[in-house]
Amino acid sequence: MSEVVVAHHDDDHHDHGPDKGLARWLFTTNHKDIGTLYMWFSFLMLFIGGLLALVIRTELFQPGLQFVDPNFFNQMTTNHGLIMVFGAIMPAFVGLANWMVPMMIGAPDMALPRMNNLSFWILPLAFGMMISTLFMEGGGPNFGWTFYAPLSTTYAPDSVTYFIFAIHLAGASSIMGAINIIATILNMRAPGMTLMKMPLFVWTWLITAYLLLAVMPVLAGAVTMMLFDIHFGTSFFNAAGGGDPVMFQHIFWFFGHPEVYIMILPAFGIVSQIIPTFARKPLFGYDSMVYAVASIAFLSFIVWAHHMFTVGMPLAGQLFFMYATMLIAVPTGVKVFNWVATMWRGAMTFETPMLFAIAFVILFTIGGFSGLMLSIAPADYQYHDTYFVVAHFHYVLVPGALFSIIAAVYYWLPKWCGNMYDESLGKLHFWLSFIGVNVTFFPQHFSGLAGMPRRIPDYALQFADFNMVSSIGAFIFGFSQLLFLYIIIKAIRSGQPATDRVWEGAHGLEWTIPSPAPYHSFTTPPKVSEAEAHS
């Protein structure tokens, strides 16, 4: 399909290509430009967050205090978590949604393009403010990424106020992005694109957007209460004034647990696009996948207190949250079964996106199993706040969320820039990342089961070997992402030209437009045939 420019008498200003220079990126309302901005921003945050992680792992390479003092170590753990969650993973998924959702549903752009521009440009301001706290007097936030009160209210450094403002801004950005995605998917689908014909990536983002709308205001409420406790003499979380620090945990995790699924549901969608392409088979059980995603989203709201089994919860509460958490394994198991069934007896090839997708299925399942172990309340008394928890959520977030993002970049990059990446370098990047991530996080299960607490700059001699292995793995994994950056830049500048369909087994509207995707994809809505639906 060639690019057709149709002049409309009421919006002539949309009928040209991009502006030139800096103005293009500052004022753009084009979904592809904004998607590109999100992706590069998240890549920058990945490197900054990764740098903080390498400070942590360097300190933990050997027992004893080596390089940084404990207060600075705590600032590293806090900012690493916040930057990776809110600065790297979430913006990357929003960037992928901006790029791909309009192309997948046959829409000309996002529904609310000016708000789309604003929702991105808030983010550099928010994270500039958050990172700047590290250079302030008294240092940056040092109370962990979950910022439990009263650590974050009574004993916090002065810079915590900047941190609260940064969180507010990042939350506002997420809410605007979510509204935009919902409006686009519900109102701008091409004729014939019913909800049950949408690609799974679109489905997972529609559900994720509703989760964002539901829980981001809860986070805003929590940090506003912190602000009032710090500056205005209230006692929401101060026991001395009649408040309750445990209430903070309830409010935080009511946001925090759906947030975990906000960071993994779009990954399910990506993997559900990639595996059928390289297995050359339609996705097994499309309807059940949609219902499974919706079930996971619903259940995510009623399991938050499994993070808090050790606070002195009544037995009935422990039992409810334990069984509700275990229930999430059912729809998750459905998804894993469907991915494996899609690959079963398919004509599989193992290009780089498929390698990352298969690694996702295997390693995310390991993270899911350790999550089931953590859901058992009496066992959790032992696991809680140890490195076993660190191993669990990194297995879900690194080979889970991050691997799916990397897979998506390899999968759609030829459509974005019109050039293929270097396949042999892509495979090298995969194996370095796969080995690095397992060498980093698998030993942490053992040190955690042996009793090593999280967020400590020093540890007993018995944990030395596991920590040394873990640190070596972290450096392998971290530096292999520089290879990823090189592969992307090389593809953009000098890759082999890509065909329009790019991948032999690919189906969907995004593969019907030229590579590179034109600045305006669908000036007239495409008609959706059965062949180009989700199959």
Side-chain angles (χ1 to χ4, degrees):
M1 187 188 296
S2 62
E3 183 183 7
V4 181
V5 177
V6 182
H8 296 286
H9 62 276
D10 56 342
D11 62 349
D12 284 339
H13 58 283
H14 275 302
D15 299 328
H16 53 68
D19 290 330
K20 298 289 180 278
L22 189 63
R24 168 180 178 178
W25 301 105
L26 280 175
F27 306 120
T28 181
T29 54
N30 181 280
H31 73 98
K32 299 183 180 78
D33 281 356
I34 293 170
T36 303
L37 285 169
Y38 268 111
M39 297 302 291
W40 280 114
F41 173 78
S42 81
F43 211 0
L44 175 65
M45 289 297 113
L46 179 74
F47 281 119
I48 293 173
L51 195 64
L52 306 189
L54 292 183
V55 172
I56 294 166
R57 289 310 330 167
T58 305
E59 178 56 57
L60 293 174
F61 187 74
Q62 287 183 308
L65 292 175
Q66 322 279 336
F67 301 102
V68 297
D69 68 88
N71 183 41
F72 187 74
F73 182 89
N74 289 344
Q75 292 174 47
M76 292 292 101
T77 56
T78 303
N79 279 277
H80 164 69
L82 291 166
I83 288 166
M84 287 304 202
V85 168
F86 296 108
I89 300 296
M90 288 172 68
F93 280 136
V94 178
L96 288 167
N98 263 293
W99 247 106
M100 300 315 302
V101 166
M103 286 162 60
M104 288 177 152
I105 64 173
D109 206 307
M110 296 293 275
L112 304 158
R114 285 184 179 81
M115 188 167 83
N116 207 9
N117 175 289
L118 179 63
S119 72
F120 171 75
W121 282 110
I122 287 175
L123 281 180
L125 179 66
F127 284 91
M129 194 180 298
M130 189 178 289
I131 294 163
S132 73
T133 59
L134 293 172
F135 305 100
M136 293 178 184
E137 197 175 339
N142 57 2
F143 32 67
W145 82 272
T146 53
F147 43 98
Y148 279 4
L151 271 181
S152 58
T153 51
T154 311
Y155 306 106
D158 294 339
S159 61
V160 72
T161 308
Y162 291 87
F163 150 82
I164 289 171
F165 193 30
I167 290 286
H168 266 303
L169 289 175
S173 167
S174 293
I175 289 169
M176 285 194 281
I179 291 169
N180 212 343
I181 288 163
I182 291 169
T184 304
I185 295 171
L186 295 186
N187 296 315
M188 299 181 69
R189 299 192 306 282
M193 173 74 72
T194 60
L195 286 176
M196 294 310 279
K197 279 187 190 167
M198 295 195 312
L200 251 167
F201 179 67
V202 180
W203 256 117
T204 53
W205 244 117
L206 179 63
I207 291 166
T208 300
Y210 278 112
L211 284 181
L212 279 164
L213 285 189
V215 302
M216 278 314 192
V218 178
L219 178 66
V223 294
T224 304
M225 291 152 97
M226 282 171 57
L227 191 74
F228 273 63
D229 273 12
I230 293 166
H231 292 291
F232 302 112
T234 56
S235 294
F236 290 111
F237 309 127
N238 183 357
D244 184 2
V246 174
M247 182 173 78
F248 178 90
Q249 295 189 32
H250 279 289
I251 297 167
F252 178 86
W253 285 115
F254 189 78
F255 147 79
H257 201 79
E259 165 66 23
V260 172
Y261 291 95
I262 286 163
M263 289 189 286
I264 203 66
L265 291 185
F268 293 164
I270 290 164
V271 170
S272 301
Q273 301 298 130
I274 292 174
I275 288 177
T277 297
F278 295 100
R280 288 162 183 77
K281 277 175 62 186
L283 182 70
F284 181 91
Y286 170 89
D287 292 22
S288 65
M289 290 292 255
V290 173
Y291 299 136
V293 176
S295 308
I296 290 169
F298 169 74
L299 290 170
S300 74
F301 283 102
I302 58 168
V303 298
W304 75 89
H306 66 212
H307 298 267
M308 305 164 49
F309 281 140
T310 58
V311 300
M313 203 186 301
L315 181 62
Q318 291 192 13
L319 286 170
F320 170 81
F321 286 108
M322 179 167 86
Y323 292 134
T325 304
M326 289 178 176
L327 202 56
I328 290 189
V330 177
T332 308
V334 167
K335 303 181 81 57
V336 172
F337 172 81
N338 285 9
W339 290 322
V340 173
T342 305
M343 290 186 271
W344 177 252
R345 302 184 76 168
M348 297 221 317
T349 53
F350 298 97
E351 286 87 347
T352 310
M354 185 61 159
L355 290 174
F356 275 102
I358 294 170
F360 168 94
V361 174
I362 296 166
L363 300 180
F364 175 78
T365 303
I366 291 173
F369 277 131
S370 60
L372 267 177
M373 293 172 67
L374 289 160
S375 73
I376 303 165
D380 185 70
Y381 274 58
Q382 296 299 316
Y383 307 140
H384 186 75
D385 268 348
T386 70
Y387 259 76
F388 188 83
V389 179
V390 178
H392 157 69
F393 71 71
H394 280 91
Y395 259 88
V396 175
L397 282 180
V398 184
L402 186 58
F403 270 25
S404 75
I405 291 163
I406 295 169
V409 170
Y410 280 118
Y411 185 58
W412 283 309
L413 184 68
K415 178 57 68 184
W416 298 343
C417 71
N419 297 333
M420 289 300 290
Y421 60 88
D422 185 319
E423 187 64 61
S424 52
L425 282 180
K427 286 191 165 72
L428 176 64
H429 172 231
F430 167 75
W431 285 111
L432 284 171
S433 297
F434 182 82
I435 292 164
V437 86
N438 283 293
V439 171
T440 305
F441 298 115
F442 207 78
Q444 295 178 4
H445 291 102
F446 302 119
S447 45
L449 290 173
M452 180 173 165
R454 39 194 292 208
R455 296 182 187 149
I456 52 165
D458 190 11
Y459 51 86
L461 204 55
Q462 75 217 51
F463 306 121
D465 293 348
F466 283 139
N467 272 292
M468 184 177 284
V469 171
S470 213
S471 291
I472 292 167
F475 276 89
I476 294 170
F477 180 73
F479 283 99
S480 62
Q481 302 325 303
L482 292 171
L483 176 61
F484 185 36
L485 178 63
Y486 171 74
I487 292 167
I488 292 171
I489 293 170
K490 181 170 182 270
I492 292 168
R493 287 190 168 173
S494 61
Q496 295 295 314
T499 60
D500 289 354
R501 195 165 284 276
V502 183
W503 309 109
E504 183 195 326
H507 292 282
L509 289 178
E510 74 267 34
W511 307 110
T512 64
I513 58 178
S515 302
Y519 198 63
H520 299 292
S521 313
F522 295 107
T523 47
T524 51
K527 196 84 179 99
V528 179
S529 66
E530 282 298 327
E532 288 297 352
H534 58 71
S535 62

